[in-house]
Amino acid sequence: MNNIAILCSGGDVSGMNPALKHFVEYTKQNNLTPYFIYDGYEGLIDNKIQEASYKDVSGIITRGGTKIRSARSKRFKEKKYRQIAKDNLDAKGIDSLVILGGDGSFAGMDIFYKEHKIKFCGIPSTIDNDIYGTEYCLGVDTALNIIKTSIDAIRDTASSFGRAFIVETMGRECGYLALVSALTSGAELCLIPEKEVALKEYEDDFKTQIKNGRSYFLSIIAEGAKHSSSELKEWFEQSIGIESRVTVLGHVQRGGNPSIYDRLMAYKFINYAIDALIMGKDESVICYTNKGFVYKSIQEVVSQKYALDTKLLAYL
Ligand code: ADP
């Protein structure tokens, strides 16, 4: 193995740029030639593959997103386009890839490996933190910090003006962001997809709290929760009798200056990914567990669904 390439696939996260920077540094330290594949699997098919240099990564460590961009690719699901992708890699003598993405991207790469023997190592990257087998995915800490800053700002206005504030985070199937944010911001209510909540059960308690002097409420809701943000707003106004406002954080959670933790995790994930390929591991994903970093097979990672830590769930 002399030539090694990296690409970003699926939703981008903050932390990808620090990973790209260290990818160039660590491959060069190991006498390998680094390549960037621009625009994910789309770029692999369209031959947007270029040798990377220190110059390409200068000054990017502080920036969110990814300099080589990310994409979703319908074409990569078709065999004939994967053949084109393989021919493009062959032309540059590349037989090993590092993939920054989610389990969908890893599953696509696994098919590619089985067809064409292009080795890969996956680095879990999604702010949803919902990849089975790893406790941490790149980008989560930055997203949580952005949510924290937003909630803290909302609390300032909430405490000055009696209202119920509802903050909606990303998380269609996984409530990790909402749950951790609720826990660390002291929210009164948290709704996530993993748990059905009967709002009625909170009514007496919330009304009593108002009688006892509470002037505002803070609720965090994941976008995939059983109740929608507008239903929750309605409930606060009709059943609790307090004016309510909804803030949907949306894509602001995906951007922003990478946190120190994500910069450090990007560095470690890259070291482990390149080491795996140097050692000859062919289709692994680097997972961060209570035993530290471990390599898991793609089959193990895609075969099961991520479940929230029961100790965190106990907060609800
Ligand atoms: P994520 O990696 O964030 O889970 P997606 O599920 O959207 O994101 O997958 C990203 C890309 O991975 C898809 O656009 C597609 O190009 C590729 N991919 C996903 N599943 C497959 C598959 N079964 N076969 C080939 N490519 C796939």
Side-chain angles (χ1 to χ4, degrees):
M1 180 183 80
N2 285 317
N3 298 345
I4 174 168
I6 190 166
L7 63 78
C8 301
S9 171
D12 60 285
V13 303
S14 207
M16 285 175 162
N17 275 331
L20 296 176
K21 177 174 176 359
H22 190 52
F23 173 79
V24 171
E25 292 161 353
Y26 197 60
T27 44
K28 286 183 179 284
Q29 279 168 28
N30 283 283
N31 297 316
L32 302 168
T33 307
Y35 282 82
F36 283 163
I37 300 169
Y38 291 79
D39 297 312
Y41 295 143
E42 280 293 278
L44 189 53
I45 295 165
D46 294 332
N47 203 17
K48 295 184 185 166
I49 307 169
Q50 282 169 20
E51 191 177 329
S53 69
Y54 289 118
K55 210 169 150 214
D56 292 316
V57 293
S58 120
I60 67 170
I61 203 165
T62 60
R63 282 162 44 194
T66 158
K67 186 172 183 192
I68 60 173
R69 298 184 300 273
S70 187
R72 295 204 162 84
S73 171
K74 282 198 184 131
R75 290 186 297 166
F76 197 70
K77 293 187 174 175
E78 291 182 47
K79 204 176 166 84
K80 66 176 179 187
Y81 289 109
R82 291 196 296 269
Q83 181 62 55
I84 296 171
K86 154 79 171 155
D87 295 342
N88 291 337
L89 290 172
D90 280 352
K92 298 223 160 44
I94 298 166
D95 64 1
S96 304
L97 298 177
V98 175
I99 311 296
L100 294 161
D103 48 8
S105 304
F106 300 158
M109 202 22 70
D110 189 43
I111 293 168
F112 193 53
Y113 166 75
K114 293 206 165 77
E115 276 171 6
H116 298 295
K117 298 287 161 262
I118 299 285
K119 293 193 284 278
F120 74 95
C121 188
I123 296 180
S125 310
T126 165
I127 64 164
D128 290 343
N129 210 32
D130 62 350
I131 298 181
Y132 178 80
T134 186
E135 292 302 313
Y136 191 76
C137 299
L138 193 64
V140 171
D141 187 63
T142 306
L144 284 172
N145 275 294
I146 286 181
I147 298 170
K148 180 202 74 163
T149 304
S150 309
I151 295 175
D152 289 353
I154 283 171
R155 184 185 281 282
D156 289 345
T157 170
S159 60
S160 316
F161 208 108
R163 278 177 179 153
F165 279 84
I166 297 159
V167 179
E168 183 181 306
T169 67
M170 281 189 167
R172 262 188 228 115
E173 283 161 32
C174 178
Y176 184 87
L177 288 181
L179 180 56
V180 172
S181 299
L183 181 63
T184 53
S185 65
E188 281 70 46
L189 186 61
C190 175
L191 304 185
I192 58 173
E194 287 86 345
K195 192 165 177 188
E196 191 128 19
V197 166
L199 291 174
K200 212 161 180 29
E201 286 173 11
Y202 290 85
E203 278 178 27
D204 289 345
D205 178 36
F206 279 22
K207 283 179 184 165
T208 308
Q209 288 192 41
I210 291 175
K211 260 196 218 125
N212 291 340
R214 172 177 283 287
S215 63
Y216 72 95
F217 290 93
L218 196 54
S219 312
I220 314 298
I221 178 169
E223 63 180 326
K226 312 275 189 262
H227 294 281
S228 68
S229 296
S230 54
E231 281 167 6
L232 189 57
K233 177 182 191 309
E234 189 76 9
W235 176 76
F236 268 115
E237 297 193 334
Q238 302 304 322
S239 304
I240 307 298
I242 183 166
E243 210 180 324
S244 177
R245 293 286 183 274
V246 176
T247 302
V248 179
L249 296 180
H251 283 78
V252 72
Q253 297 161 91
R254 284 242 296 257
N257 171 275
S259 68
I260 291 295
Y261 190 73
D262 273 325
R263 293 181 201 193
L264 194 57
M265 286 303 272
Y267 177 89
K268 292 179 181 175
F269 271 128
I270 285 292
N271 278 0
Y272 276 88
I274 293 171
D275 287 349
L277 293 166
I278 291 173
M279 283 188 281
K281 286 187 181 294
D282 48 10
E283 42 171 349
S284 55
V285 175
I286 303 157
C287 295
Y288 186 65
T289 69
N290 56 9
K291 296 188 180 71
F293 288 93
V294 295
Y295 297 111
K296 295 196 178 176
S297 72
I298 178 72
Q299 277 76 19
E300 183 178 351
V301 171
V302 297
S303 63
Q304 290 175 70
K305 207 171 153 26
Y306 176 83
L308 282 175
D309 181 347
T310 47
K311 288 210 176 72
L312 282 182
L313 270 173
Y315 173 71
L316 296 176

